[in-house]
Amino acid sequence: TGGIAVPLDRFPDGVRSLLELLPAAALAEGLRECLSDGTGLPVDRLVVLLVWGAVGAVLAARWFRWE
């Protein structure tokens, strides 16, 4: 679920730590924190999203071809 439908705090610790590394979880929890606290996107959530974006861009540049 990545924290969108079910908040991550309802999962066991081991599963939660893995789910927090998913981009959907980082975005959902980051937005939840922003909207409830009125602060900016937390740095740890932003780093997860940036890493996924960078890895995705590198993989797309490596294997995607317009053929």
Side-chain angles (χ1 to χ4, degrees):
T1 69
I4 295 174
V6 179
L8 292 179
D9 58 359
R10 297 200 179 179
F11 290 95
D13 290 336
V15 175
R16 184 181 328 140
S17 61
L18 290 174
L19 290 175
E20 287 175 345
L21 298 176
L22 295 175
L27 183 61
E29 290 296 315
L31 287 175
R32 187 175 288 120
E33 291 175 24
C34 287
L35 295 174
S36 66
D37 299 338
T39 61
L41 189 63
V43 174
D44 57 341
R45 311 289 187 199
L46 185 59
V47 169
V48 170
L49 292 172
L50 290 173
V51 168
W52 273 97
V55 169
V58 168
L59 293 175
R62 169 70 176 98
W63 280 292
F64 181 77
R65 299 289 178 247
W66 290 98
E67 295 177 352

